Amino acid sequence: MDEGSDPDAPGDREGACFEAGVKFGTIYHQFAGTPLSPDSADSLARAMEEAIENQPHCESVTVEPRYDELERAVEEGPASYVEWTGRFADVRMTIRYEGVEVRTRMAMTEGYPLMEVTDVRG
């Protein structure tokens, strides 16, 4: 982004945060509803990481299944699996865009999978 031509135009820091938001939207909405069991949690987590790491500007993605929550949901439900939602994983991403590094996370906060920028450098 050309920061010199328009003082109101988004800069590289905003662009990097936007890229992080795109990746969160993809990870959340692409995989929501995927059948998930305690036995398949690791393979789905790796697939999510590899899919998102294909996107431009993505340096790293870590998806950590929340086994306690997953096992409880399966025990309470009528089937041996549930549908993936953000409550079943903690996610961390690092995005690098035009010399700016953005670190993000998604974790459960008061029963909601909150996505947030945790650090911006550059």
Short mmCIF file of all heavy atoms in Angstrom, two decimals, residues 1 6-7 10 13 16 23-24 35 38-39 44 53 70 75 77 84 89 104-107 110-112 115:
data_model
loop_
_atom_site.label_atom_id
_atom_site.label_comp_id
_atom_site.label_asym_id
_atom_site.label_seq_id
_atom_site.Cartn_x
_atom_site.Cartn_y
_atom_site.Cartn_z
N MET A 1 0.84 -1.18 0.00
CA MET A 1 0.00 0.00 0.00
C MET A 1 0.88 1.23 0.00
O MET A 1 1.86 1.30 0.74
CB MET A 1 -0.89 0.00 1.23
CG MET A 1 -1.87 -1.12 1.24
SD MET A 1 -2.93 -1.03 2.68
CE MET A 1 -3.72 -2.59 2.47
N ASP A 6 -2.00 9.20 -0.07
CA ASP A 6 -3.27 9.57 0.54
C ASP A 6 -3.15 9.35 2.05
O ASP A 6 -3.01 8.22 2.50
CB ASP A 6 -4.40 8.70 -0.02
CG ASP A 6 -5.76 9.03 0.56
OD1 ASP A 6 -5.85 9.87 1.49
OD2 ASP A 6 -6.75 8.44 0.09
N PRO A 7 -3.21 10.42 2.83
CA PRO A 7 -3.02 10.26 4.27
C PRO A 7 -4.11 9.42 4.95
O PRO A 7 -3.91 8.91 6.04
CB PRO A 7 -3.05 11.70 4.80
CG PRO A 7 -3.73 12.50 3.74
CD PRO A 7 -3.46 11.79 2.45
N PRO A 10 -5.19 3.15 4.01
CA PRO A 10 -4.62 2.18 4.97
C PRO A 10 -3.13 1.98 4.70
O PRO A 10 -2.70 1.96 3.55
CB PRO A 10 -5.39 0.90 4.69
CG PRO A 10 -6.47 1.23 3.76
CD PRO A 10 -6.21 2.56 3.17
N ARG A 13 0.53 -1.65 8.21
CA ARG A 13 0.06 -2.29 9.45
C ARG A 13 -1.41 -2.69 9.33
O ARG A 13 -1.80 -3.77 9.71
CB ARG A 13 0.27 -1.36 10.65
CG ARG A 13 1.74 -1.18 10.99
CD ARG A 13 1.98 -0.09 12.02
NE ARG A 13 1.41 -0.37 13.32
CZ ARG A 13 2.05 -1.01 14.31
NH1 ARG A 13 3.28 -1.44 14.12
NH2 ARG A 13 1.46 -1.20 15.46
N ALA A 16 -1.64 -5.66 6.99
CA ALA A 16 -1.25 -6.91 7.66
C ALA A 16 -2.37 -7.42 8.55
O ALA A 16 -2.66 -8.63 8.58
CB ALA A 16 0.03 -6.69 8.46
N LYS A 23 -7.55 -14.65 6.89
CA LYS A 23 -7.18 -16.01 7.25
C LYS A 23 -8.11 -16.57 8.33
O LYS A 23 -8.51 -17.74 8.29
CB LYS A 23 -5.74 -16.11 7.72
CG LYS A 23 -4.76 -16.21 6.55
CD LYS A 23 -4.18 -14.87 6.24
CE LYS A 23 -3.20 -14.89 5.11
NZ LYS A 23 -3.64 -14.08 3.97
N PHE A 24 -8.49 -15.74 9.30
CA PHE A 24 -9.43 -16.20 10.32
C PHE A 24 -10.79 -16.50 9.70
O PHE A 24 -11.44 -17.49 10.05
CB PHE A 24 -9.60 -15.17 11.43
CG PHE A 24 -8.70 -15.40 12.59
CD1 PHE A 24 -7.97 -14.36 13.12
CD2 PHE A 24 -8.58 -16.65 13.19
CE1 PHE A 24 -7.13 -14.56 14.20
CE2 PHE A 24 -7.75 -16.86 14.27
CZ PHE A 24 -7.02 -15.80 14.78
N PRO A 35 -17.42 -32.76 10.18
CA PRO A 35 -17.56 -33.80 11.21
C PRO A 35 -16.23 -33.98 11.96
O PRO A 35 -15.17 -34.05 11.35
CB PRO A 35 -17.92 -35.05 10.41
CG PRO A 35 -18.56 -34.52 9.17
CD PRO A 35 -17.79 -33.26 8.85
N PRO A 38 -12.91 -37.16 18.62
CA PRO A 38 -11.60 -37.14 19.27
C PRO A 38 -10.53 -37.86 18.43
O PRO A 38 -9.38 -37.43 18.40
CB PRO A 38 -11.85 -37.86 20.59
CG PRO A 38 -13.29 -37.56 20.90
CD PRO A 38 -13.96 -37.61 19.54
N ASP A 39 -10.91 -38.90 17.70
CA ASP A 39 -9.95 -39.63 16.88
C ASP A 39 -9.51 -38.85 15.64
O ASP A 39 -8.42 -39.09 15.12
CB ASP A 39 -10.52 -40.98 16.43
CG ASP A 39 -10.69 -41.95 17.59
OD1 ASP A 39 -10.00 -41.76 18.63
OD2 ASP A 39 -11.49 -42.88 17.46
N LEU A 44 -7.68 -33.23 11.37
CA LEU A 44 -8.37 -32.02 10.94
C LEU A 44 -7.54 -30.78 11.29
O LEU A 44 -7.42 -29.87 10.47
CB LEU A 44 -9.76 -31.91 11.57
CG LEU A 44 -10.56 -30.67 11.14
CD1 LEU A 44 -10.77 -30.64 9.63
CD2 LEU A 44 -11.88 -30.61 11.88
N GLU A 53 -1.91 -22.07 5.61
CA GLU A 53 -0.52 -21.70 5.29
C GLU A 53 -0.30 -21.55 3.79
O GLU A 53 0.67 -20.93 3.36
CB GLU A 53 0.45 -22.71 5.88
CG GLU A 53 0.60 -22.53 7.39
CD GLU A 53 1.49 -23.56 8.05
OE1 GLU A 53 1.82 -24.59 7.41
OE2 GLU A 53 1.84 -23.35 9.22
N LEU A 70 -14.21 -31.27 23.28
CA LEU A 70 -14.65 -32.19 22.23
C LEU A 70 -15.20 -33.49 22.82
O LEU A 70 -16.29 -33.94 22.44
CB LEU A 70 -13.47 -32.48 21.30
CG LEU A 70 -13.68 -33.48 20.17
CD1 LEU A 70 -14.86 -33.07 19.29
CD2 LEU A 70 -12.41 -33.60 19.36
N GLU A 75 -19.80 -36.99 24.22
CA GLU A 75 -20.50 -37.77 25.26
C GLU A 75 -21.94 -37.31 25.44
O GLU A 75 -22.83 -38.11 25.68
CB GLU A 75 -19.75 -37.67 26.59
CG GLU A 75 -18.46 -38.47 26.62
CD GLU A 75 -17.67 -38.24 27.90
OE1 GLU A 75 -18.18 -37.56 28.83
OE2 GLU A 75 -16.52 -38.70 27.96
N GLY A 77 -23.80 -35.79 23.16
CA GLY A 77 -24.58 -35.82 21.92
C GLY A 77 -25.05 -37.21 21.55
O GLY A 77 -24.68 -38.21 22.16
N TRP A 84 -17.44 -29.30 13.72
CA TRP A 84 -16.40 -28.38 14.19
C TRP A 84 -16.94 -26.96 14.29
O TRP A 84 -17.63 -26.46 13.41
CB TRP A 84 -15.20 -28.37 13.23
CG TRP A 84 -14.07 -27.56 13.78
CD1 TRP A 84 -13.09 -28.02 14.60
CD2 TRP A 84 -13.81 -26.17 13.60
NE1 TRP A 84 -12.23 -26.99 14.94
CE2 TRP A 84 -12.66 -25.84 14.35
CE3 TRP A 84 -14.45 -25.15 12.90
CZ2 TRP A 84 -12.13 -24.57 14.39
CZ3 TRP A 84 -13.92 -23.87 12.95
CH2 TRP A 84 -12.78 -23.59 13.69
N ALA A 89 -11.13 -25.69 19.25
CA ALA A 89 -9.71 -25.49 18.93
C ALA A 89 -9.23 -24.12 19.37
O ALA A 89 -10.00 -23.15 19.36
CB ALA A 89 -9.47 -25.67 17.44
N THR A 104 -1.69 -13.38 15.98
CA THR A 104 -3.11 -13.44 16.32
C THR A 104 -3.40 -14.71 17.10
O THR A 104 -2.58 -15.63 17.13
CB THR A 104 -3.98 -13.46 15.05
OG1 THR A 104 -3.73 -14.68 14.35
CG2 THR A 104 -3.70 -12.27 14.16
N ARG A 105 -4.59 -14.75 17.66
CA ARG A 105 -5.05 -15.99 18.29
C ARG A 105 -6.57 -16.03 18.29
O ARG A 105 -7.24 -15.00 18.20
CB ARG A 105 -4.52 -16.13 19.71
CG ARG A 105 -5.19 -15.19 20.69
CD ARG A 105 -4.70 -15.45 22.09
NE ARG A 105 -5.31 -14.44 22.96
CZ ARG A 105 -4.96 -14.25 24.18
NH1 ARG A 105 -4.00 -14.95 24.73
NH2 ARG A 105 -5.56 -13.32 24.91
N MET A 106 -7.07 -17.25 18.39
CA MET A 106 -8.48 -17.48 18.62
C MET A 106 -8.55 -18.42 19.80
O MET A 106 -7.96 -19.50 19.79
CB MET A 106 -9.16 -18.15 17.42
CG MET A 106 -10.66 -18.40 17.65
SD MET A 106 -11.45 -19.30 16.30
CE MET A 106 -10.89 -20.97 16.66
N ALA A 107 -9.24 -18.00 20.84
CA ALA A 107 -9.39 -18.81 22.04
C ALA A 107 -10.76 -18.52 22.64
O ALA A 107 -11.36 -17.48 22.39
CB ALA A 107 -8.29 -18.49 23.05
N GLU A 110 -15.27 -16.39 27.62
CA GLU A 110 -16.65 -16.33 28.09
C GLU A 110 -17.60 -17.10 27.17
O GLU A 110 -18.67 -16.62 26.80
CB GLU A 110 -17.09 -14.88 28.26
CG GLU A 110 -16.27 -14.14 29.31
CD GLU A 110 -16.69 -12.68 29.48
OE1 GLU A 110 -17.77 -12.29 29.01
OE2 GLU A 110 -15.90 -11.95 30.10
N GLY A 111 -17.17 -18.29 26.74
CA GLY A 111 -18.01 -19.15 25.92
C GLY A 111 -18.06 -18.79 24.44
O GLY A 111 -18.85 -19.35 23.69
N TYR A 112 -17.19 -17.88 24.00
CA TYR A 112 -17.20 -17.43 22.61
C TYR A 112 -15.79 -17.57 22.04
O TYR A 112 -14.82 -17.18 22.69
CB TYR A 112 -17.64 -15.96 22.55
CG TYR A 112 -17.72 -15.43 21.15
CD1 TYR A 112 -18.81 -15.72 20.34
CD2 TYR A 112 -16.71 -14.64 20.62
CE1 TYR A 112 -18.89 -15.24 19.04
CE2 TYR A 112 -16.78 -14.15 19.33
CZ TYR A 112 -17.87 -14.45 18.55
OH TYR A 112 -17.95 -13.98 17.28
N MET A 115 -11.51 -14.03 18.27
CA MET A 115 -10.35 -13.87 17.40
C MET A 115 -9.79 -12.49 17.64
O MET A 115 -10.54 -11.51 17.65
CB MET A 115 -10.77 -14.02 15.93
CG MET A 115 -11.40 -15.34 15.63
SD MET A 115 -12.17 -15.33 13.99
CE MET A 115 -13.33 -16.67 14.19
#
